[in-house]
Amino acid sequence: MNGLLALSLSWLLGQTAPAPSTEPTEAEATSAVQAAQLDELRARLELLQVQDEERTQQTQARLETLEQERTDEQAARQQAELLRQESLRSLARAQEWLAAMDRLLETGEEPIGPAVVSAQRELSDALASTADIGRGESARLIQNVLQRLGTLEDSVAQRNPDAARLQLFFAGDELRSAWRMNLDQTRLPALEP
C-alpha cells in the first residue's frame, strides 16, 4: 500500500511514476554483443579488402616499373651495340686510310692531305661512338691517333717522310689497340639499375 500511496502522491504532485524495469534479458544482451562483434568483423574485413587492393595496386605498379626498366635497359644495350658496331666500322676504314698513307709516303708520288682528312673524319666518328658507350681507354687511344695525324703533314712538309712513317706506325698500333678494345663485347658498360 505504501507503493500505491507513493504512486498516488507522485501523480498528484505532477511527477511521473517510475517506469517498470526495462533491463534486457540475457538473450537480448547476447544478441546485442554478437551483433556488435559481427559489425566489428565486417569492418575488419572491409579494411583487409582495402589493404589487399592497395597492395595489389602497389605490386602492379612495381611490376610495370620493373618492366619499363627492363625495356629501357634492353634499348640502351641495343643502342650501345649499334654504336660499338659503328665504331668498329669507322676504325676499320681509318686503318685502311692509314695503310693508304703509308703507301703514299713510301712512293712519295701524291700528297697525303686528302687521306689524312678522310682518316681524321673516320676517327672522329669512331671517337664519338666510343665516347657514347663509355670506353675511356679506347677513346684515349683514338685521340692519340688523331694527334699523330695532326703532326704527320708537318713531317711531310719538312721533307722528313721517315718521321712521318714512324708517326704512322705508332698511330696504326694505337688504332689496332682501340679496335681490339671495341671488338670485345663483354666490355660494354654496365647499365645503372
Side-chain angles (χ1 to χ4, degrees):
M1 181 134 147
N2 282 340
L4 186 56
L5 186 59
L7 183 61
S8 301
L9 261 176
S10 51
W11 181 67
L12 285 174
L13 294 173
Q15 298 173 349
T16 57
S21 176
T22 57
E23 289 183 25
T25 65
E26 188 175 323
E28 291 173 335
T30 302
S31 177
V33 167
Q34 288 175 342
Q37 288 174 339
L38 185 60
D39 288 343
E40 183 181 342
L41 286 174
R42 283 187 184 132
R44 276 190 190 165
L45 182 61
E46 287 176 13
L47 178 62
L48 289 173
Q49 287 173 338
V50 167
Q51 289 173 340
D52 187 48
E53 287 175 20
E54 287 175 359
R55 276 193 298 273
T56 300
Q57 290 173 355
Q58 289 171 351
T59 301
Q60 183 62 33
R62 180 66 180 147
L63 286 174
E64 289 171 6
T65 300
L66 289 172
E67 182 62 27
Q68 184 61 46
E69 288 173 359
R70 188 182 68 77
T71 300
D72 292 347
E73 183 177 324
Q74 273 184 325
R77 287 193 183 279
Q78 287 173 347
Q79 180 64 22
E81 178 58 19
L82 289 174
L83 290 172
R84 187 183 72 82
Q85 293 292 332
E86 286 176 23
S87 179
L88 285 170
R89 285 190 292 275
S90 294
L91 290 172
R93 287 189 296 264
Q95 185 66 43
E96 291 170 8
W97 283 111
L98 291 183
M101 281 184 265
D102 188 51
R103 287 190 299 274
L104 290 173
L105 287 171
E106 187 176 12
T107 61
E109 295 176 8
E110 296 182 33
I112 63 166
V116 170
V117 169
S118 295
Q120 287 172 330
R121 183 179 56 245
E122 294 296 341
L123 289 167
S124 294
D125 291 346
L127 183 60
S129 297
T130 300
D132 286 346
I133 57 174
R135 294 184 177 261
E137 182 61 20
S138 180
R140 186 190 64 75
L141 289 168
I142 294 169
Q143 288 170 338
N144 287 351
V145 174
L146 283 167
Q147 289 173 351
R148 289 184 189 283
L149 290 180
T151 63
L152 194 66
E153 286 185 300
D154 292 339
S155 296
V156 171
Q158 295 172 1
R159 299 184 189 277
N160 191 350
D162 290 335
R165 289 187 78 194
L166 187 59
Q167 285 294 332
L168 202 53
F169 171 78
F170 289 127
D173 190 47
E174 289 171 330
L175 186 57
R176 282 186 294 281
S177 293
W179 187 81
R180 281 191 300 273
M181 286 179 182
N182 280 319
L183 187 60
D184 184 7
Q185 293 185 51
T186 60
R187 298 188 64 203
L188 282 175
L191 300 174
E192 295 296 320

